[in-house]
Amino acid sequence: MSRLKRLIVEVHRRSLWQVLLIYVGAAWACFELIDTVTDRLALPPWLPGLAIVLFLLALPIVVATALIQDGGPATTISDPTLIPVDEARIETARRRRFLTWRNAVASFVVALAVWGVVATGWLLLGDRGAVPEVEHKSIAVLPFDNIGGAEENVAFTDGIHDDIITHLQMIGDLKPISRTSVLEYREKRGNLRQIAEQLGVATILEGGVQRSGNRVRINAQLIDGETDEHLWAETYEEVLTAENVFTIQTAIAQRIASALKARLSPEESERIAARSTENLEAYEHYVRGRVYFRRGRAVLGIEGLALKDSAIAEYERAVELDPEYSAAWAALAGSRTVLSFQYITRTEEREKGEQALARAVELAPESYETHIAQATYYMLVREDPARAMMHLTVAETLRPNDAETLTAIAGVLTNQGKWEEALTYYERAVELDPRNAEVVREIADTYSFMRRFEEEERYLDRLIALDPSAGLPHQLKFWLYLFELGDTAKARVYAEQHPDEDGWQEAKLHYYRREYEQALIIGRSDSGDREGVLYALYRTGRLEELQAYADSVASERRREISSERLTALQVSFLRSYLGLAYAFAGEIEEAIREGEEALELWPIAADQYNYWLIVK
């Protein structure tokens, strides 16, 4: 009989198929239970995968047991010195004593126990501090599906989604999560309970938009974040007009408020029901402008400039189609103001921005959008934080749950040195926008300004948890240990655990340990720190080499400054670095001049990451 046939006979004789069926069935039942427990307790999504790995590790023991145990009694040898030694029989006996059905079952139980220990440990010791507390009247509106997938309808669908969030932000008794925190769920929907837990909300709104010819179909369903049950669902199908689009948005916001038993004041009801334009085409250009401008805010250089130019073109087309469209005029004013401030080659935008702002004030002086545009203008053009704050405060009363408005107020307060008051607004903003890394970083920076380093480290850890692969948060934590706490040992350990690519951390460690020769080796590399090299040459007394290197750095900085693709902030930094090179070269007057020009380009009042640049 061939080996294959003997193997098949043995498999049948030892009932291996039945054993595998029983094991797989039991493992599957346990996996379903584990998956349910993971959802209910909001455990990490990788725990069910861990259970599968553990069950696979136990499987060889079960299979080996089935092959060894043939139903006959196990051979035992009480005194191997009294009978002829048969090594094979002794080894078989040892395997049979180990590979028993009791041990096989025990391996399965051990796999379950290991999983239980890991799950319990995560519940007790896991980092759950970054998860916001759930409030009953809280809601996250996930990005709406573009049903049909037509590319030309993406901006329209995003506009519907944005406007529903905007309507909810007008209701003071609700807690709607901001768009920044929900956008990451556009592609990775996953488990709704986990999403609700991550965002700290009681309910989730899902929906989709289908546009076909002259009709639009919008569906929405409100889901309980804990039970996964539908609280209500509605489908709206209407002729595609601006009036019907706004009516549907208003109806959805009102249904949500009713379902969550939120108080709705007459003023809030009036603001929700307001229509910004009767021209559908103008509305579509406006929402496309918002999409482009938001993308442009996140990108510097020529790409960001191109996106902002595209936004301006869309806003201009919107006001051309509807000259009474106040929100579009305000957005046009704000975007032009930002361009004139950020890009030194776009100074002509300032006057055009002022003209657009005047038109917005004329049409709707008390609207949210007009107040935001005025705040932007007074902060960036007039450098008048007090006047900007006045408009931001009014904007807050109109949309009390808009995280970007709260963050803008906190930014102005931070510039004024009102740290505690700024933190109050930042904390409110992060509740509404819990996965916005920029806001979390601003809170960490504010604690740094206040020299409250323990709280700063806590928020840096939260920032890292949002995106562990991002380099900047790790650099900030290294900065905390080295520069703020002065703990070179802790900084070195952290740098070893989270190394950077260009050697910046290693060079700084050498500087602070006064190991200037080692710092120079790193700093002179192509990716090195030129300003650090200047400092190390100065500290080691190599004055002739310092003079030559400072001249070289100054020449390089001048060439970089001549680029037309830089923002005012980038040019300001480069001029400050140029001034530093002049100082090390002994050209003191030139150094002072460059420092003054750097401050003129980017005043101290505009140095807190520009949270007043929130035109939508």
Side-chain angles (χ1 to χ4, degrees):
M1 183 182 296
S2 67
R3 291 184 179 180
L4 178 60
K5 288 184 177 179
R6 285 200 301 271
L7 176 62
I8 294 174
V9 169
E10 285 297 306
V11 166
H12 281 289
R13 188 174 71 82
R14 299 170 193 271
S15 302
L16 184 59
W17 303 121
Q18 292 90 327
V19 170
L20 286 175
L21 184 62
I22 292 172
Y23 182 83
V24 171
W28 179 257
C30 289
F31 176 79
E32 289 294 318
L33 176 62
I34 286 171
D35 194 45
T36 301
V37 170
T38 299
D39 287 343
R40 289 290 183 182
L41 298 182
L43 294 170
W46 48 264
L47 277 174
L50 174 63
I52 293 176
V53 171
L54 293 173
F55 290 150
L56 289 175
L57 291 176
L59 180 60
I61 299 176
V62 175
V63 173
T65 300
L67 290 174
I68 293 295
Q69 299 296 323
D70 60 0
T75 301
T76 59
I77 300 178
S78 59
D79 189 353
T81 63
L82 301 179
I83 59 176
V85 176
D86 185 340
E87 294 295 337
R89 294 178 62 199
I90 293 174
E91 183 62 26
T92 300
R94 287 173 179 169
R95 289 200 301 268
R96 284 181 174 174
R97 284 197 298 270
F98 173 73
L99 296 170
T100 64
W101 286 116
R102 183 177 61 183
N103 287 349
V105 173
S107 68
F108 183 78
V109 174
V110 167
L112 283 175
V114 170
W115 183 90
V117 169
V118 173
T120 303
W122 190 91
L123 281 172
L124 296 177
L125 304 175
D127 182 13
R128 301 169 67 86
V131 178
E133 185 178 344
V134 174
E135 297 180 8
H136 174 66
K137 297 179 183 180
S138 54
I139 181 172
V141 182
L142 299 187
F144 276 26
D145 294 326
N146 175 29
I147 302 174
E151 186 66 26
E152 62 268 20
N153 293 333
V154 171
F156 180 76
T157 301
D158 288 346
I160 299 292
H161 173 253
D162 283 357
D163 284 342
I164 290 174
I165 294 177
T166 296
H167 279 61
L168 297 177
Q169 289 173 341
M170 299 177 187
I171 304 174
D173 201 31
L174 286 181
K175 178 191 171 184
I177 298 301
S178 293
R179 61 180 59 84
T180 308
S181 287
V182 300
L183 284 181
E184 66 178 88
Y185 300 103
R186 183 190 298 275
E187 303 297 335
K188 52 171 188 175
R189 286 295 171 92
N191 186 285
L192 291 183
R193 294 176 190 169
Q194 292 178 348
I195 294 175
E197 192 264 353
Q198 290 169 357
L199 295 175
V201 295
T203 56
I204 286 179
L205 184 76
E206 284 191 312
V209 179
Q210 184 175 13
R211 182 176 180 177
S212 179
N214 67 338
R215 298 193 67 83
V216 62
R217 180 186 178 93
I218 300 175
N219 64 74
Q221 49 269 348
L222 186 65
I223 303 168
D224 188 299
E226 182 177 356
T227 66
D228 212 17
E229 296 178 358
H230 282 64
L231 301 178
W232 66 263
E234 194 77 50
T235 298
Y236 305 86
E237 186 168 359
E238 301 286 350
V239 174
L240 185 55
T241 65
E243 179 182 359
N244 287 339
V245 168
F246 294 137
T247 299
I248 293 172
Q249 294 171 355
T250 300
I252 292 174
Q254 291 173 337
R255 286 296 303 272
I256 292 172
S258 176
L260 300 184
K261 297 180 173 59
R263 294 186 303 273
L264 197 60
S265 69
E267 294 79 13
E268 290 172 341
S269 297
E270 183 179 349
R271 284 196 290 269
I272 290 174
R275 299 168 188 169
S276 55
T277 182
E278 300 296 333
N279 189 307
L280 179 64
E281 188 179 354
Y283 170 75
E284 293 188 69
H285 283 288
Y286 172 68
V287 297
R288 276 198 293 269
R290 287 192 311 197
V291 170
Y292 290 142
F293 194 81
R294 285 178 187 145
R295 291 176 184 171
R297 286 169 57 191
V299 182
L300 291 175
I302 194 66
E303 184 180 352
L305 178 59
L307 285 167
K308 289 167 187 169
D309 279 336
S310 296
I312 287 177
E314 295 291 344
Y315 292 145
E316 286 181 329
R317 180 58 178 155
V319 297
E320 180 183 341
L321 291 166
D322 182 2
E324 307 295 312
Y325 200 167
S326 62
W329 279 112
L332 181 59
S335 57
R336 288 196 182 281
T337 300
V338 169
L339 275 186
S340 70
F341 178 76
Q342 284 191 316
Y343 295 88
I344 58 177
T345 59
R346 301 297 293 271
T347 55
E348 78 282 355
E349 298 288 353
R350 177 176 299 183
E351 184 177 351
K352 294 179 181 178
E354 291 174 345
Q355 294 170 355
L357 181 59
R359 180 63 173 152
V361 172
E362 177 187 356
L363 291 170
E366 297 304 323
S367 75
Y368 169 86
E369 293 83 3
T370 299
H371 281 293
I372 289 297
Q374 287 176 296
T376 304
Y377 175 75
Y378 281 109
M379 193 68 199
L380 303 185
V381 176
R382 294 292 186 87
E383 298 180 21
D384 187 347
R387 192 76 176 270
M389 179 66 79
M390 182 186 72
H391 288 288
L392 287 172
T393 303
V394 176
E396 181 196 359
T397 64
L398 298 174
R399 289 189 195 172
N401 290 311
D402 183 11
E404 288 188 312
T405 303
L406 297 174
T407 308
I409 293 174
V412 176
L413 290 170
T414 301
N415 290 331
Q416 296 174 330
K418 300 177 181 178
W419 314 117
E420 293 288 353
E421 195 175 348
L423 279 174
T424 302
Y425 281 93
Y426 276 136
E427 293 288 357
R428 286 176 57 195
V430 83
E431 287 181 8
L432 295 167
D433 209 354
R435 301 189 67 78
N436 188 329
E438 291 290 340
V439 181
V440 175
R441 178 186 168 184
E442 279 307 307
I443 297 176
D445 285 344
T446 303
Y447 279 124
S448 173
F449 300 149
M450 301 171 71
R451 304 189 66 79
R452 290 167 58 176
F453 301 129
E454 184 176 344
E455 290 95 334
E456 178 190 359
E457 184 172 9
R458 179 161 56 90
Y459 273 94
L460 287 178
D461 287 337
R462 179 169 175 175
L463 185 63
I464 291 170
L466 289 175
D467 185 3
S469 64
L472 181 59
H474 291 296
Q475 191 176 94
L476 292 174
K477 197 166 182 181
F478 170 82
W479 185 289
L480 166 67
Y481 292 148
L482 183 63
F483 298 118
E484 297 178 346
L485 297 178
D487 191 336
T488 56
K490 199 169 186 178
R492 179 173 291 280
V493 171
Y494 193 80
E496 291 172 353
Q497 294 173 342
H498 306 280
D500 58 355
E501 296 181 356
D502 57 9
W504 178 87
Q505 294 178 158
E506 188 67 21
K508 293 303 180 187
L509 279 167
H510 287 310
Y511 291 138
Y512 268 69
R513 294 169 65 90
R514 300 184 180 182
E515 299 166 348
Y516 300 120
E517 294 298 334
Q518 296 93 320
L520 281 171
I521 293 174
I522 298 174
R524 279 173 166 156
S525 66
D526 291 339
S527 59
D529 177 5
R530 289 162 178 77
E531 283 65 39
V533 172
L534 290 171
Y535 177 73
L537 290 172
Y538 174 76
R539 296 294 295 180
T540 53
R542 305 180 188 182
L543 300 184
E544 290 186 6
E545 192 174 349
L546 172 62
Q547 178 73 46
Y549 193 81
D551 290 339
S552 173
V553 171
S555 176
E556 180 181 353
R557 295 307 186 197
R558 285 193 298 267
R559 184 173 62 255
E560 292 172 339
I561 289 171
S562 65
S563 172
E564 296 183 356
R565 298 183 176 185
L566 299 176
T567 65
L569 176 60
Q570 291 171 315
V571 175
S572 177
F573 273 119
L574 288 174
R575 286 204 175 278
S576 66
Y577 291 145
L578 176 58
L580 186 62
Y582 281 144
F584 276 111
E587 302 176 27
I588 305 304
E589 291 185 3
E590 289 80 356
I592 293 174
R593 185 190 67 244
E594 292 299 330
E596 290 174 344
E597 291 189 10
L599 281 175
E600 184 178 350
L601 276 171
W602 201 261
I604 292 176
D607 196 38
Q608 293 301 319
Y609 307 102
N610 306 313
Y611 276 129
W612 47 88
L613 307 182
I614 57 175
V615 180
K616 301 173 185 168

